[in-house]
Amino acid sequence: MTENTDAVTVIVADDQSAVREGLVLLLGTVPGIAVIGEAEDGEAAVEAVAAKNPQVVLMDLNMPRCDGVEATRRIRASHPQTQVVVLTTYSDDESIIGALQAGALGYLTKDATRAEIGRAVLAAAAGQAVLDPAVQQRLLSAAVRAPASAPAGPAAASDADLTPREAEVLRLIAAGKSNREIARALFVSEATVKTHVNRIFAKTGSRDRGQAVHYAYQHGYAGPPDHLFDTERAGYHAPAPAGPSPRSMTCQGRTVTARKPPATLASSSVASRAAVTSRPPPARTR
């Protein structure tokens, strides 16, 4: 790493040591750029920015403990003078939009050339955005696919503000998952999940997870649990099962009708006798 007071200072954040070291060497050959630090994950990137106050962070996205999107959001919130350029293998809509919404000023894929990376870093230091051509195309395609928004009430406006990742976290909350389980399912840190949960609470006006679950049911993020369809809860009582048809029998000289109630009484001779009504036998004559 080199230090030059006239150069743009950069911290490289990537969890793969070979990639990180290669980027440090590559940027060291670009005039006007000085690498002053490295970080093996998003948490370390946030700490390095606080300690060294660089002008630019070259940020990977998929990292342990704290991913690049969350690290970018935290860096931009606490050190707005530091710009972030994302350099990642991912070019899907969710990754791109998530990084840009978090405050990244540049977005490149890892097949970018040395000149493109250097240009993006220098442009970010000057407050200019640089996007990979493929990223620009995906953003345009996403804008074309998005339906025109109609005026809506406060709830609908908040609903539209949920990012795809926040929507996914809300669905997992509605499924009863804890923060730790959500973190494992999404391969992110619990700190990242907590941030998403807090943002969901703020956007949906929820005070706790119960209200967030209610919001998820109301806005189509999740279906109600199966027990809500229980017939007893719904006030529905199924008709009693029909018993066998009545039968007639002769008992002590008169015909009586015996019925079996819905419960199974065929095996109980006592219950069968109790179900038969008869009159006393006639008095005996001498």
Side-chain angles (χ1 to χ4, degrees):
M1 289 180 288
T2 60
E3 294 199 25
N4 184 336
T5 55
D6 296 327
V8 172
T9 53
V10 180
I11 285 177
V12 176
D14 197 299
D15 63 319
Q16 296 181 334
S17 57
V19 174
R20 187 174 66 250
E21 292 168 5
L23 289 171
V24 171
L25 292 174
L26 181 147
L27 289 174
T29 66
V30 178
I33 293 179
V35 179
I36 61 171
E38 302 177 31
E40 68 275 11
D41 55 42
E43 195 71 39
V46 174
E47 295 171 358
V49 169
K52 299 190 175 184
N53 194 30
Q55 292 172 268
V56 179
V57 177
L58 191 62
M59 181 80 73
D60 188 21
L61 287 186
N62 188 15
M63 296 185 291
R65 290 207 300 165
C66 175
D67 62 30
V69 172
E70 177 60 22
T72 298
R73 183 177 293 112
R74 290 168 59 182
I75 289 170
R76 294 294 297 149
S78 58
H79 302 277
Q81 74 282 358
T82 297
Q83 302 295 343
V84 175
V85 173
V86 170
L87 182 65
T88 180
T89 56
Y90 301 97
S91 60
D92 58 283
D93 293 355
E94 182 178 344
S95 297
I96 295 169
I97 294 172
L100 296 179
Q101 287 181 334
L105 197 57
Y107 197 108
L108 301 175
T109 55
K110 285 186 176 178
D111 58 357
T113 65
R114 165 183 172 274
E116 289 171 337
I117 296 173
R119 185 163 56 249
V121 168
L122 294 173
Q128 301 170 1
V130 174
L131 301 177
D132 185 279
V135 171
Q136 294 183 37
Q137 185 59 47
R138 292 194 69 92
L139 288 175
L140 289 173
S141 299
V144 170
R145 291 195 305 269
S149 57
S158 295
D159 180 33
D161 287 340
L162 288 181
T163 66
R165 178 49 61 89
E166 289 165 355
E168 190 173 9
V169 171
L170 180 57
R171 282 192 290 271
L172 292 172
I173 291 174
K177 302 295 184 183
S178 66
N179 285 357
R180 176 171 295 180
E181 291 170 329
I182 294 173
R184 289 175 179 173
L186 301 181
F187 301 100
V188 298
S189 67
E190 284 190 62
T192 298
V193 173
K194 288 179 183 178
T195 299
H196 288 316
V197 171
N198 289 335
R199 290 175 66 85
I200 289 168
F201 285 177
K203 291 181 179 181
T204 62
S206 303
R207 292 192 302 272
D208 51 38
R209 294 174 87 92
Q211 290 189 349
V213 170
H214 182 67
Y215 181 94
Y217 294 156
Q218 282 190 323
H219 293 80
Y221 287 101
D226 294 340
H227 73 264
L228 294 182
F229 292 106
D230 183 83
T231 53
E232 182 177 353
R233 289 176 180 268
Y236 172 77
H237 299 279
S245 59
R247 64 179 181 177
S248 298
M249 65 180 72
T250 302
C251 180
Q252 296 186 358
R254 67 173 293 184
T255 300
V256 296
T257 299
R259 294 180 182 270
K260 290 183 180 179
T264 303
L265 298 179
S267 61
S268 174
S269 60
V270 175
S272 298
R273 288 198 298 272
V276 179
T277 58
S278 63
R279 64 182 181 182
R284 300 175 63 182
T285 58
R286 299 190 174 190

